[in-house]
DNA sequence: GGTAGACCTGGACGC
DNA sequence: GCGTCCAGGTCTACC
């Protein structure tokens, strides 16, 4: 994201071509400018990818109706919030989520950039723009490289194992996006991936459109404590109890809650 | 089921 | 510049 109203994404198509997508708001929705060579037949693939990334097919009418009664959520409908930006494929989101765990945001950016520069295919004509690496690119690497060159630390074996399983076909992440699996089943499958714990699984469930999972990390505990418990020490269960009344939308409510008045 | 300690890195801080 | 401490979620061993 270069500017607040523009999203730039380096996309690698199924035929491995790399193009640049410049996505911006338009009067009738979203406009996508395609930079680079792409066959006409692949436009549908791009269209589908962008719709998924921006969750354009999801309906938030019910959610907005709920938020309008909560002062802390007054901005939600006005700003058309609710759509979480996600990657074109779940593999990328899982890797990025693992890279958010147990580190600072700057650490996440550093590790992601290193992974992309080390293993991603470059966008034509650019020496600093790369597509997110496909699973097989990382799978062909080794733990030592991921630790020492990409600086993933102890996350290296997790990322390597995930890449190898997706690359070999033993792990089919597309199944998680299908409606044939129950949400609880998807959740438990995510938890079975090494490196994915409660926080990461909840984050991924949100990205998959299941908004009744709470991403409870240290920041959540701090903010909920200050907002609802006068700064007292609280547990993850306390966070769940606070947002339980929002039912299947609780994850989004927590995500979009206006914490700005919290001291 | 609950808990403690290890994992790894970068940033902050004190000297 | 160097050493130390701390924050951040997950895994594993142990009780």
């Amino acid at each position: 994201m270069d500017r607040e109203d523009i999203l730039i994404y380096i996309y690698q198509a199924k035929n491995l071509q790399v193009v640049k997508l410049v996505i911006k708001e338009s009067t009738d929705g979203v406009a996508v400018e395609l930079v680079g060579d792409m066959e006409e037949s692949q436009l549908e693939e791009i269209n589908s990818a962008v719709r998924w990334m921006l969750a354009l097919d999801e309906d938030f009418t019910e959610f907005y109706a709920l938020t309008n009664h909560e002062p802390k959520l007054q901005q939600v409908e006005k700003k058309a919030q609710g759509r979480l930006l996600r990657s074109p494929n779940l593999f990328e989101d899982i890797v990025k989520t693992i890279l958010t765990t147990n580190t600072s945001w700057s650490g996440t950016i550093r590790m992601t950039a290193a992974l992309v520069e080390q293993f991603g295919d470059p966008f034509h004509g650019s020496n600093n723009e790369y597509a997110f690496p496909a699973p097989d690119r990382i799978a062909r690497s080794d733990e030592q490289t991921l630790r020492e060159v990409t600086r993933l630390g102890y996350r290296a074996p997790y990322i390597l194992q995930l890449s190898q399983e997706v690359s070999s076909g033993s792990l089919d992440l597309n199944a998680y996006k299908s409606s044939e699996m129950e949400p609880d089943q998807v959740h438990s499958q995510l938890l079975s991936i090494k490196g994915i714990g409660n926080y990461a699984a909840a984050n991924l469930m949100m990205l998959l459109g299941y908004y009744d999972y709470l991403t409870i990390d240290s920041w959540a505990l701090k903010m909920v404590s200050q907002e609802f418990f006068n700064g007292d020490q609280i547990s993850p269960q306390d966070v769940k109890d606070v947002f339980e009344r929002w039912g299947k939308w609780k994850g989004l409510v927590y995500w979009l809650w206006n914490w700005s008045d919290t001291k």
Side-chain angles (χ1 to χ4, degrees):
Chain A
M1 187 84 77
D2 274 11
R3 295 208 321 252
E4 201 170 309
D5 56 346
I6 291 184
L7 169 67
I8 295 176
Y9 184 83
I10 307 300
Y11 178 81
Q12 184 158 39
K14 287 172 185 164
N15 70 354
L16 302 183
Q17 278 181 286
V18 178
V19 293
K20 183 191 288 190
L21 307 180
V22 182
I23 305 168
K24 50 189 138 183
E25 268 191 278
S26 70
T27 49
D28 54 350
V30 171
V32 181
E33 180 189 346
L34 194 59
V35 184
D37 300 327
M38 179 63 74
E39 293 167 18
E40 185 80 18
S41 60
Q42 289 176 297
L43 293 181
E44 183 53 39
E45 178 188 335
I46 299 281
N47 182 47
S48 175
V50 171
R51 296 195 76 81
W52 170 261
M53 289 169 71
L54 303 179
L56 296 180
D57 295 325
E58 290 192 36
D59 182 4
F60 292 92
T61 308
E62 181 186 336
F63 176 58
Y64 292 150
L66 280 174
T67 60
N68 284 334
H69 301 293
E70 170 54 59
K72 287 282 189 176
L73 298 168
Q74 289 298 298
Q75 82 287 359
V76 170
E77 184 171 15
K78 260 181 253 173
K79 295 183 179 177
Q81 294 175 327
R83 290 183 168 80
L84 305 181
L85 180 64
R86 48 195 176 185
S87 305
N89 60 77
L90 190 53
F91 170 74
E92 183 175 333
D93 274 330
I94 294 177
V95 171
K96 287 176 175 173
T97 297
I98 291 175
L99 297 186
T100 66
T101 59
N102 207 23
T103 188
S104 61
W105 183 239
S106 63
T108 299
I109 292 172
R110 176 188 55 76
M111 288 185 279
T112 305
L115 204 56
V116 166
E117 286 169 20
Q118 186 74 22
F119 301 105
D121 285 342
F123 170 60
H124 179 68
S126 172
N127 58 6
N128 60 1
E129 293 176 297
Y130 301 84
F132 193 86
D136 66 298
R137 291 298 175 96
I138 303 174
R140 290 203 295 268
S141 181
D142 56 75
E143 185 179 326
Q144 189 180 3
T145 301
L146 290 171
R147 280 181 182 271
E148 297 176 5
V149 179
T150 323
R151 312 292 291 170
L152 300 188
Y154 70 90
R155 302 168 195 81
Y158 303 153
I159 302 293
L160 183 61
Q161 182 179 342
L162 172 70
S163 301
Q164 289 171 337
E165 289 180 359
V166 173
S167 177
S168 69
S170 63
L171 180 60
D172 178 17
L173 297 178
N174 286 326
Y176 298 178
K177 291 162 75 172
S178 83
S179 55
E180 290 172 15
M181 283 180 77
E182 290 296 320
D184 284 350
Q185 197 181 356
V186 175
H187 187 242
S188 65
Q189 293 275 319
L190 287 170
L191 281 171
S192 71
I193 295 172
K194 281 279 168 51
I196 299 291
N198 287 330
Y199 158 80
N203 184 59
L204 289 163
M205 290 301 283
M206 291 272 287
L207 292 177
L208 285 167
Y210 302 115
Y211 302 117
D212 48 344
Y213 291 82
L214 290 164
T215 52
I216 304 173
D217 55 7
S218 55
W219 187 87
L221 291 171
K222 179 184 169 193
M223 298 308 284
V224 172
S225 166
Q226 291 180 346
E227 183 94 352
F228 299 99
F229 296 90
N230 295 317
D232 292 344
Q233 190 168 3
I234 62 171
S235 69
Q237 187 58 49
D238 292 322
V239 178
K240 289 178 185 173
D241 290 344
V242 165
F243 289 97
E244 190 54 42
R245 69 187 177 97
W246 296 97
K248 68 175 184 178
W249 298 105
K250 65 172 86 75
L252 264 190
V253 167
Y254 156 73
W255 197 255
L256 298 172
W257 194 263
N258 184 2
W259 306 94
S260 58
D261 292 335
T262 303
K263 295 193 171 81

